[in-house]
Every structure is written in C-alpha cells, then in structure tokens.
C-alpha cells in the first residue's frame, strides 16, 4: 500500500509547476497519505533534500511562477549507479511513490527509477510542449502569452522605424511555441524545424513589402536553428528592410501561470496522485483531445510529439 508520496520538479521551470505541486499535495492529503517534497529535482533527491509538507505549504502558490521547490539539471542521473543511490534514498525515507513534474528528460529519469523498483508518475511540465504523451504541457500556454505580449510591444517600435524584427523563441527541438506565436501574431514568417527557412521566398516577400511601404515585418525564429544576427544582416542587405534581432530568452519561462495552465495542472495532478495510489505500475499523465489520459511510462518515453494538426498548412495559407 502507498503511504508516503514525494514530489519533485525537474528540468527547465515552467509556469504552473506550483499549481501542479499544490494539487498533488492536496489530493494526496485528501486520500490520507503523507506528502513530501524534494528540493532541486534529481540533485536534491540524491542529496536527500526531502521534507514532509502539510496543506499550509500549498497556500498562495497556485498563481506563483517558477517552482517553489526549485528545479535543477543533473546529467549524472543517466548513470545507473546514481539512479540506484536515488532509489535507496527513497527507501530510507520510506517513500512509496514519486511524482516528477518536468519534460521528456525528467520522464527518462523517472523511467530509470521505475526500473530500480520505484513506483513513479510523470506530469508534463515544460514550456516547450515537446512531450509525446500529451497534446499540451503545463507552462506552454503561459509562455505563448508572454511571447505574444513581447511581440505586440516590439511591433509598436518596429512599425515606428519601418523595421523587420527577428524574434527568437524557445522550444528546444520543437517548433510549437514558434508556430503558435506566429499564428497568434500574424507574423510574416516562422522558422522552425517543422517550417524551415526558405531564404529566397522570404527575401522576395520582404522586398515586396518594402516596395509597398509596409510599416514593419515580424519573423519568429525557433532557438538552436540558425544565427539570427547573420540572418538579420542578410535581410538588411538583400531587402532594404532594416532588420533587428530580439532573443526573448528566459523571460518566456517567468510570470504567473495563466488560468489555462492552472486548470491543466490541476486536472493532470489529481490523476497522477490517483494513479500512484490506486493503480499498479508506473505511469505518466497527459491530455489528449481535452481528456486526461495515462500511459505506462516505458511506452510514454518512446512516444514522439506531433505538432498541432494542420498548423503548418494554416501558417502557409495565411502568408
Ligand atoms: P525541459 O525540456 O523543459 O528543460 P526536461 O525535463 O526535458 O525539461 P532535461 O534537462 O532534459 O529537462 O532533463 C531534466 C533532468 O532529467 C536532467 O538534468 C537529468 O537529471 C534527467 N535526465 C535527462 N535525461 C535522462 C536520461 N536519459 N536518463 C536519466 N535521467 C535523465
């Protein structure tokens, strides 16, 4: 029987992690379980930074950005000896189940722990929306809203100077943030893995816009793909538009979670707690077609994220 449940947050922080933590703790207490938090992700787990919490711990955190139990990256967690040490520590603390909130890297860590006899459940928390076993991850909607706020502001200054703004957004290898932002902002172009740069097409469009005396152009670029400063230089030389770059960076991670992320966190977390208490084996939770679903963790880590159906075609149609 599961008596003690611990929760950690891992990988990049995402708005809504605290809302998820809140519901995990409250749902666990509701089922009569003893609830623990682990500070600093897998690093804190290996160091035994584990503390029992009560309902008061969850007060006023539903709207707080970041993660109050902090996150960390521990590359050594790929090493089976480190995973074994973590499993032993959980045993020492008599923790019967571990819930991890994070992205696909966090899920791999959880899966390793499950192979060392720990009962685990993963909750998808990452702004990148790159987890295969869910349509949406906690933090994505808030990060998208933040990007849109920034782009709206950039449009004002861009338009005042007749500039082309290249705006780099996060997403790791997933273009969801870039494509959704491009759609929401009516951007002139988006460059991401799913929608690669077509240089000549872009230049000719910008030349045409310049000839029509358009006030500004917005191009959303996903991180890790190309050097946006070099592209901006080329645009300035080839099209007549003065191009400027903005890297939004970690700004995208911050801020209060939007209502959508708070609700998503709550629905997924309640199911995660139920699963570790009532079901055998280790799982992850996710949202498919607006329904909460769960998968065996080993099956889940093999699933590839598919970007929103039809989004690329829609972006092309509107350009
Ligand atoms: P985000 O993509 O939002 O940053 P994430 O969970 O994918 O979230 P990662 O840095 O990839 O972030 O992973 C978080 C942690 O998970 C790593 O620091 C490491 O401790 C653990 N981890 C990652 N990959 C593995 C793996 N293959 N095996 C075991 N543990 C892993």
């Amino acid at each position: 029987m599961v008596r003690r449940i611990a929760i950690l947050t891992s990988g990049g922080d995402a708005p809504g992690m605290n809302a998820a933590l809140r519901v995990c703790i409250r749902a666990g207490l509701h089922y009569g379980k003893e609830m623990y938090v682990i500070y600093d992700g897998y690093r804190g787990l290996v160091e035994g930074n584990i503390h029992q919490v009560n309902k008061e711990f969850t007060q006023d955190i539903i709207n707080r950005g970041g993660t109050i139990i902090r996150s960390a990256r521990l590359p050594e967690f790929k090493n089976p000896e480190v995973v074994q040490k973590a499993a032993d520590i959980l045993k020492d603390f008599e923790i019967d189940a571990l819930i991890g909130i994070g992205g696909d890297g966090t899920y791999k860590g959880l899966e390793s722990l499950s192979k060392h006899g720990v009962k685990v459940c993963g909750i998808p928390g990452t702004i990148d929306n790159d987890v295969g076993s869910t349509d949406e991850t906690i933090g994505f909607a808030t990060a998208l809203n933040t990007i849109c706020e920034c782009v709206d502001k950039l449009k004002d200054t861009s338009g005042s100077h007749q500039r082309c703004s290249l705006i780099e957004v996060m997403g790791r290898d997933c273009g969801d943030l870039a494509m959704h932002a491009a759609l929401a902002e009516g951007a002139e172009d988006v460059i991401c893995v799913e929608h690669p740069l077509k240089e000549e097409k872009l230049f000719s469009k910008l030349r045409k816009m310049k000839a029509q005396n358009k006030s500004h152009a917005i191009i959303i670029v996903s991180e890790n793909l190309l050097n946006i400063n070099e592209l901006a230089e080329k645009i300035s030389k080839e099209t007549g538009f003065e191009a400027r770059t903005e890297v939004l960076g970690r700004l995208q991670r911050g801020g209060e979670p939007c209502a959508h992320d708070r609700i998503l966190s709550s629905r997924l977390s309640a199911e995660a707690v139920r699963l570790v208490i009532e079901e055998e084996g280790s799982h992850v939770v996710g949202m498919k077609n607006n329904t909460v679903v769960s998968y065996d963790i080993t099956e889940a880590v093999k699933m590839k994220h598919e970007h929103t159906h039809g989004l690329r075609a829609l972006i092309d149609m509107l350009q």
Side-chain angles (χ1 to χ4, degrees):
M1 197 190 76
V2 169
R3 191 168 59 93
R4 290 185 177 171
I5 303 171
I7 308 144
L8 58 76
T9 51
S10 160
D13 63 302
M17 280 182 161
N18 288 324
L21 180 66
R22 171 183 180 271
V23 172
C24 286
I25 294 169
R26 289 189 176 214
L29 294 172
H30 166 82
Y31 283 108
K33 306 301 170 190
E34 291 176 25
M35 301 304 292
Y36 288 74
V37 295
I38 301 173
Y39 285 87
D40 304 316
Y42 293 129
R43 194 176 70 214
L45 170 55
V46 171
E47 290 168 358
N49 198 350
I50 303 173
H51 303 269
Q52 189 173 5
V53 289
N54 55 23
K55 203 168 175 181
E56 280 64 54
F57 188 83
T58 68
Q59 265 169 18
D60 296 328
I61 65 168
I62 194 166
N63 60 338
R64 277 180 68 180
T67 159
I68 61 165
I69 55 171
R70 301 189 297 266
S71 187
R73 298 193 203 265
L74 183 73
E76 297 88 331
F77 212 66
K78 290 177 187 161
N79 178 346
E81 284 161 25
V82 179
V83 178
Q84 184 59 57
K85 185 176 174 197
D88 291 343
I89 285 173
L90 287 170
K91 213 171 184 182
D92 290 346
F93 276 82
E94 296 179 27
I95 305 282
D96 305 302
L98 172 69
I99 296 176
I101 307 166
D104 51 359
T106 300
Y107 278 15
K108 285 179 191 149
L110 288 174
E111 195 213 3
S112 304
L113 277 166
S114 75
K115 290 189 169 145
H116 284 76
V118 181
K119 186 176 203 181
V120 300
C121 187
I123 299 177
T126 166
I127 65 165
D128 299 332
N129 209 39
D130 58 354
V131 177
S133 48
T134 186
D135 290 342
E136 45 184 337
T137 57
I138 294 165
F140 173 73
T142 304
L144 181 60
N145 285 341
T146 303
I147 293 169
C148 288
E149 266 176 46
C150 293
V151 176
D152 285 344
K153 290 190 169 86
L154 279 169
K155 274 182 181 170
D156 292 342
T157 168
S158 223
S160 305
H161 294 269
Q162 265 203 321
R163 280 181 187 143
C164 169
S165 287
L166 282 106
I167 302 148
E168 187 181 287
V169 301
M170 283 184 165
R172 280 200 163 181
D173 302 323
C174 174
D176 274 22
L177 273 177
M179 289 202 291
H180 283 77
L183 197 59
E185 287 296 330
E188 272 58 46
D189 202 1
V190 55
I191 303 165
C192 57
V193 178
E194 300 84 349
H195 198 271
L197 169 65
K198 290 188 179 132
E199 212 172 69
E200 256 327 301
K201 194 173 164 208
L202 173 63
F203 291 174
S204 103
K205 180 178 187 165
L206 292 174
R207 278 187 209 110
K208 212 182 277 172
M209 287 176 68
K210 187 71 186 168
Q212 291 165 344
N213 207 23
K214 289 274 193 279
S215 65
H216 64 79
I218 298 289
I219 300 167
I220 310 285
V221 186
S222 204
E223 67 181 347
N224 304 327
L225 270 188
L226 48 79
N227 183 325
I228 57 166
N229 292 321
E230 281 174 14
L231 181 60
E233 259 179 48
K234 251 181 162 174
I235 287 173
S236 300
K237 212 162 89 192
E238 299 280 338
T239 72
F241 252 119
E242 183 194 352
R244 291 285 172 95
T245 60
E246 309 291 340
V247 178
L248 298 188
R250 289 183 188 82
L251 260 182
Q252 296 161 88
R253 291 194 186 282
E256 291 182 356
C258 64
H260 180 85
D261 274 328
R262 297 180 204 183
I263 292 162
L264 179 66
S265 302
S266 305
R267 292 178 71 189
L268 295 177
S269 302
E271 177 61 2
V273 172
R274 189 199 69 76
L275 280 167
V276 296
I277 294 171
E278 292 183 356
E279 306 287 336
E280 294 295 314
S282 287
H283 299 87
V284 303
V285 291
M287 195 63 86
K288 290 277 176 183
N289 300 319
N290 201 28
T291 303
V292 178
V293 293
S294 62
Y295 299 97
D296 171 84
I297 194 156
T298 301
E299 192 190 321
V301 293
K302 290 185 207 138
M303 293 167 86
K304 293 267 173 281
H305 175 71
E306 288 169 26
H307 61 84
T308 314
H309 184 66
L311 203 59
R312 191 171 43 190
L314 182 56
I315 287 168
D316 279 338
M317 188 185 88
L318 297 174
Q319 277 175 3

PDB file of all heavy atoms in Angstrom, residues 10-12 42 73-74 77-78 103-106 108-109 112 126 128 172, ligand 1:
ATOM      1  N   SER A  10      11.616  19.166 -12.162  1.00  0.00           N
ATOM      2  CA  SER A  10      12.939  18.923 -12.773  1.00  0.00           C
ATOM      3  C   SER A  10      12.996  19.498 -14.179  1.00  0.00           C
ATOM      4  O   SER A  10      11.969  19.735 -14.817  1.00  0.00           O
ATOM      5  CB  SER A  10      13.153  17.409 -12.764  1.00  0.00           C
ATOM      6  OG  SER A  10      14.123  16.994 -13.676  1.00  0.00           O
ATOM      7  N   GLY A  11      14.223  19.741 -14.663  1.00  0.00           N
ATOM      8  CA  GLY A  11      14.406  20.344 -15.987  1.00  0.00           C
ATOM      9  C   GLY A  11      14.129  21.833 -15.921  1.00  0.00           C
ATOM     10  O   GLY A  11      14.195  22.448 -14.853  1.00  0.00           O
ATOM     11  N   GLY A  12      13.821  22.436 -17.050  1.00  0.00           N
ATOM     12  CA  GLY A  12      13.527  23.871 -17.073  1.00  0.00           C
ATOM     13  C   GLY A  12      12.246  24.158 -16.309  1.00  0.00           C
ATOM     14  O   GLY A  12      11.285  23.401 -16.400  1.00  0.00           O
ATOM     15  N   TYR A  42      16.351  16.065  -9.306  1.00  0.00           N
ATOM     16  CA  TYR A  42      17.075  14.808  -9.019  1.00  0.00           C
ATOM     17  C   TYR A  42      18.316  15.048  -8.162  1.00  0.00           C
ATOM     18  O   TYR A  42      18.749  14.165  -7.434  1.00  0.00           O
ATOM     19  CB  TYR A  42      17.461  14.105 -10.331  1.00  0.00           C
ATOM     20  CG  TYR A  42      16.270  13.593 -11.106  1.00  0.00           C
ATOM     21  CD1 TYR A  42      16.098  13.890 -12.454  1.00  0.00           C
ATOM     22  CD2 TYR A  42      15.306  12.805 -10.488  1.00  0.00           C
ATOM     23  CE1 TYR A  42      15.002  13.418 -13.164  1.00  0.00           C
ATOM     24  CE2 TYR A  42      14.199  12.328 -11.181  1.00  0.00           C
ATOM     25  CZ  TYR A  42      14.051  12.643 -12.514  1.00  0.00           C
ATOM     26  OH  TYR A  42      12.967  12.182 -13.195  1.00  0.00           O
ATOM     27  N   ARG A  73      19.286  20.579 -13.037  1.00  0.00           N
ATOM     28  CA  ARG A  73      19.635  19.552 -14.031  1.00  0.00           C
ATOM     29  C   ARG A  73      20.781  18.729 -13.446  1.00  0.00           C
ATOM     30  O   ARG A  73      21.732  19.283 -12.898  1.00  0.00           O
ATOM     31  CB  ARG A  73      20.040  20.190 -15.348  1.00  0.00           C
ATOM     32  CG  ARG A  73      18.890  21.001 -15.967  1.00  0.00           C
ATOM     33  CD  ARG A  73      19.171  21.357 -17.402  1.00  0.00           C
ATOM     34  NE  ARG A  73      18.407  22.518 -17.821  1.00  0.00           N
ATOM     35  CZ  ARG A  73      17.228  22.471 -18.443  1.00  0.00           C
ATOM     36  NH1 ARG A  73      16.665  21.321 -18.717  1.00  0.00           N
ATOM     37  NH2 ARG A  73      16.622  23.579 -18.799  1.00  0.00           N
ATOM     38  N   LEU A  74      20.674  17.432 -13.536  1.00  0.00           N
ATOM     39  CA  LEU A  74      21.724  16.538 -13.017  1.00  0.00           C
ATOM     40  C   LEU A  74      22.066  15.527 -14.111  1.00  0.00           C
ATOM     41  O   LEU A  74      21.483  14.432 -14.170  1.00  0.00           O
ATOM     42  CB  LEU A  74      21.228  15.819 -11.747  1.00  0.00           C
ATOM     43  CG  LEU A  74      22.252  14.907 -11.075  1.00  0.00           C
ATOM     44  CD1 LEU A  74      23.335  15.722 -10.359  1.00  0.00           C
ATOM     45  CD2 LEU A  74      21.584  13.966 -10.068  1.00  0.00           C
ATOM     46  N   PHE A  77      22.428  11.743 -13.721  1.00  0.00           N
ATOM     47  CA  PHE A  77      21.297  10.836 -13.464  1.00  0.00           C
ATOM     48  C   PHE A  77      21.150   9.785 -14.569  1.00  0.00           C
ATOM     49  O   PHE A  77      20.372   8.842 -14.439  1.00  0.00           O
ATOM     50  CB  PHE A  77      20.000  11.638 -13.289  1.00  0.00           C
ATOM     51  CG  PHE A  77      19.046  10.996 -12.330  1.00  0.00           C
ATOM     52  CD1 PHE A  77      19.362  10.895 -10.984  1.00  0.00           C
ATOM     53  CD2 PHE A  77      17.838  10.471 -12.756  1.00  0.00           C
ATOM     54  CE1 PHE A  77      18.497  10.276 -10.087  1.00  0.00           C
ATOM     55  CE2 PHE A  77      16.968   9.851 -11.870  1.00  0.00           C
ATOM     56  CZ  PHE A  77      17.298   9.759 -10.536  1.00  0.00           C
ATOM     57  N   LYS A  78      21.911   9.943 -15.650  1.00  0.00           N
ATOM     58  CA  LYS A  78      21.906   8.910 -16.704  1.00  0.00           C
ATOM     59  C   LYS A  78      22.720   7.693 -16.256  1.00  0.00           C
ATOM     60  O   LYS A  78      22.647   6.637 -16.866  1.00  0.00           O
ATOM     61  CB  LYS A  78      22.487   9.482 -18.001  1.00  0.00           C
ATOM     62  CG  LYS A  78      21.538  10.499 -18.622  1.00  0.00           C
ATOM     63  CD  LYS A  78      22.120  11.146 -19.861  1.00  0.00           C
ATOM     64  CE  LYS A  78      21.181  12.256 -20.313  1.00  0.00           C
ATOM     65  NZ  LYS A  78      21.791  13.224 -21.186  1.00  0.00           N
ATOM     66  N   GLY A 103       9.900  17.717 -18.177  1.00  0.00           N
ATOM     67  CA  GLY A 103       9.793  17.389 -19.598  1.00  0.00           C
ATOM     68  C   GLY A 103      10.277  15.989 -19.909  1.00  0.00           C
ATOM     69  O   GLY A 103      10.364  15.137 -19.010  1.00  0.00           O
ATOM     70  N   ASP A 104      10.619  15.758 -21.166  1.00  0.00           N
ATOM     71  CA  ASP A 104      10.969  14.383 -21.573  1.00  0.00           C
ATOM     72  C   ASP A 104      12.239  13.861 -20.898  1.00  0.00           C
ATOM     73  O   ASP A 104      12.355  12.661 -20.644  1.00  0.00           O
ATOM     74  CB  ASP A 104      11.033  14.251 -23.099  1.00  0.00           C
ATOM     75  CG  ASP A 104      11.891  15.314 -23.753  1.00  0.00           C
ATOM     76  OD1 ASP A 104      12.433  16.176 -23.034  1.00  0.00           O
ATOM     77  OD2 ASP A 104      12.030  15.290 -24.995  1.00  0.00           O
ATOM     78  N   GLY A 105      13.194  14.753 -20.583  1.00  0.00           N
ATOM     79  CA  GLY A 105      14.387  14.332 -19.847  1.00  0.00           C
ATOM     80  C   GLY A 105      14.002  13.830 -18.460  1.00  0.00           C
ATOM     81  O   GLY A 105      14.467  12.776 -18.003  1.00  0.00           O
ATOM     82  N   THR A 106      13.154  14.589 -17.802  1.00  0.00           N
ATOM     83  CA  THR A 106      12.658  14.197 -16.472  1.00  0.00           C
ATOM     84  C   THR A 106      11.966  12.833 -16.533  1.00  0.00           C
ATOM     85  O   THR A 106      12.138  11.990 -15.653  1.00  0.00           O
ATOM     86  CB  THR A 106      11.674  15.277 -15.966  1.00  0.00           C
ATOM     87  OG1 THR A 106      12.381  16.511 -15.897  1.00  0.00           O
ATOM     88  CG2 THR A 106      11.091  14.920 -14.608  1.00  0.00           C
ATOM     89  N   LYS A 108      12.611  10.432 -18.596  1.00  0.00           N
ATOM     90  CA  LYS A 108      13.622   9.361 -18.735  1.00  0.00           C
ATOM     91  C   LYS A 108      14.214   9.024 -17.371  1.00  0.00           C
ATOM     92  O   LYS A 108      14.464   7.858 -17.061  1.00  0.00           O
ATOM     93  CB  LYS A 108      14.716   9.788 -19.716  1.00  0.00           C
ATOM     94  CG  LYS A 108      14.234   9.721 -21.160  1.00  0.00           C
ATOM     95  CD  LYS A 108      15.322  10.181 -22.114  1.00  0.00           C
ATOM     96  CE  LYS A 108      14.748  10.361 -23.516  1.00  0.00           C
ATOM     97  NZ  LYS A 108      15.414  11.408 -24.270  1.00  0.00           N
ATOM     98  N   GLY A 109      14.442  10.054 -16.564  1.00  0.00           N
ATOM     99  CA  GLY A 109      14.931   9.831 -15.199  1.00  0.00           C
ATOM    100  C   GLY A 109      13.931   9.021 -14.382  1.00  0.00           C
ATOM    101  O   GLY A 109      14.302   8.092 -13.659  1.00  0.00           O
ATOM    102  N   SER A 112      13.996   5.409 -15.452  1.00  0.00           N
ATOM    103  CA  SER A 112      15.143   4.700 -14.862  1.00  0.00           C
ATOM    104  C   SER A 112      14.836   4.304 -13.423  1.00  0.00           C
ATOM    105  O   SER A 112      15.127   3.186 -12.999  1.00  0.00           O
ATOM    106  CB  SER A 112      16.391   5.585 -14.860  1.00  0.00           C
ATOM    107  OG  SER A 112      16.671   6.017 -16.145  1.00  0.00           O
ATOM    108  N   THR A 126       6.643  21.677 -18.979  1.00  0.00           N
ATOM    109  CA  THR A 126       7.708  22.325 -19.762  1.00  0.00           C
ATOM    110  C   THR A 126       7.059  23.315 -20.711  1.00  0.00           C
ATOM    111  O   THR A 126       5.989  23.025 -21.268  1.00  0.00           O
ATOM    112  CB  THR A 126       8.550  21.304 -20.564  1.00  0.00           C
ATOM    113  OG1 THR A 126       9.328  22.009 -21.547  1.00  0.00           O
ATOM    114  CG2 THR A 126       7.713  20.267 -21.285  1.00  0.00           C
ATOM    115  N   ASP A 128       8.066  23.992 -23.551  1.00  0.00           N
ATOM    116  CA  ASP A 128       8.375  23.631 -24.941  1.00  0.00           C
ATOM    117  C   ASP A 128       7.266  22.858 -25.661  1.00  0.00           C
ATOM    118  O   ASP A 128       7.266  22.765 -26.893  1.00  0.00           O
ATOM    119  CB  ASP A 128       9.663  22.796 -25.002  1.00  0.00           C
ATOM    120  CG  ASP A 128      10.861  23.552 -24.459  1.00  0.00           C
ATOM    121  OD1 ASP A 128      10.845  24.785 -24.540  1.00  0.00           O
ATOM    122  OD2 ASP A 128      11.786  22.905 -23.948  1.00  0.00           O
ATOM    123  N   ARG A 172      13.384  24.292 -27.715  1.00  0.00           N
ATOM    124  CA  ARG A 172      14.365  23.210 -27.961  1.00  0.00           C
ATOM    125  C   ARG A 172      14.231  22.720 -29.393  1.00  0.00           C
ATOM    126  O   ARG A 172      14.359  23.503 -30.302  1.00  0.00           O
ATOM    127  CB  ARG A 172      14.167  22.080 -26.962  1.00  0.00           C
ATOM    128  CG  ARG A 172      14.799  22.397 -25.619  1.00  0.00           C
ATOM    129  CD  ARG A 172      15.028  21.129 -24.839  1.00  0.00           C
ATOM    130  NE  ARG A 172      15.969  21.341 -23.768  1.00  0.00           N
ATOM    131  CZ  ARG A 172      16.351  20.392 -22.951  1.00  0.00           C
ATOM    132  NH1 ARG A 172      15.888  19.179 -23.086  1.00  0.00           N
ATOM    133  NH2 ARG A 172      17.209  20.643 -22.003  1.00  0.00           N
TER     134      ARG A 172
HETATM  135  P1  LIG B   1      12.831  20.958 -20.296  1.00  0.00           P
HETATM  136  O1  LIG B   1      12.905  20.357 -21.677  1.00  0.00           O
HETATM  137  O2  LIG B   1      11.667  21.822 -20.110  1.00  0.00           O
HETATM  138  O3  LIG B   1      14.096  21.615 -19.856  1.00  0.00           O
HETATM  139  P2  LIG B   1      13.340  18.320 -19.294  1.00  0.00           P
HETATM  140  O4  LIG B   1      12.791  17.509 -18.183  1.00  0.00           O
HETATM  141  O5  LIG B   1      13.315  17.675 -20.663  1.00  0.00           O
HETATM  142  O6  LIG B   1      12.599  19.714 -19.274  1.00  0.00           O
HETATM  143  P3  LIG B   1      16.205  17.917 -19.151  1.00  0.00           P
HETATM  144  O7  LIG B   1      17.293  18.852 -18.759  1.00  0.00           O
HETATM  145  O8  LIG B   1      16.292  17.264 -20.479  1.00  0.00           O
HETATM  146  O9  LIG B   1      14.845  18.744 -18.955  1.00  0.00           O
HETATM  147  O10 LIG B   1      16.112  16.736 -18.066  1.00  0.00           O
HETATM  148  C1  LIG B   1      15.977  17.035 -16.682  1.00  0.00           C
HETATM  149  C2  LIG B   1      16.789  16.070 -15.892  1.00  0.00           C
HETATM  150  O11 LIG B   1      16.332  14.733 -16.127  1.00  0.00           O
HETATM  151  C3  LIG B   1      18.276  16.013 -16.262  1.00  0.00           C
HETATM  152  O12 LIG B   1      19.025  17.033 -15.642  1.00  0.00           O
HETATM  153  C4  LIG B   1      18.659  14.645 -15.739  1.00  0.00           C
HETATM  154  O13 LIG B   1      18.860  14.697 -14.343  1.00  0.00           O
HETATM  155  C5  LIG B   1      17.407  13.813 -16.023  1.00  0.00           C
HETATM  156  N1  LIG B   1      17.570  13.079 -17.297  1.00  0.00           N
HETATM  157  C6  LIG B   1      17.578  13.578 -18.541  1.00  0.00           C
HETATM  158  N2  LIG B   1      17.791  12.625 -19.469  1.00  0.00           N
HETATM  159  C7  LIG B   1      17.941  11.472 -18.776  1.00  0.00           C
HETATM  160  C8  LIG B   1      18.193  10.102 -19.159  1.00  0.00           C
HETATM  161  N3  LIG B   1      18.352   9.739 -20.422  1.00  0.00           N
HETATM  162  N4  LIG B   1      18.265   9.200 -18.151  1.00  0.00           N
HETATM  163  C9  LIG B   1      18.119   9.539 -16.851  1.00  0.00           C
HETATM  164  N5  LIG B   1      17.883  10.804 -16.436  1.00  0.00           N
HETATM  165  C10 LIG B   1      17.790  11.767 -17.379  1.00  0.00           C
END
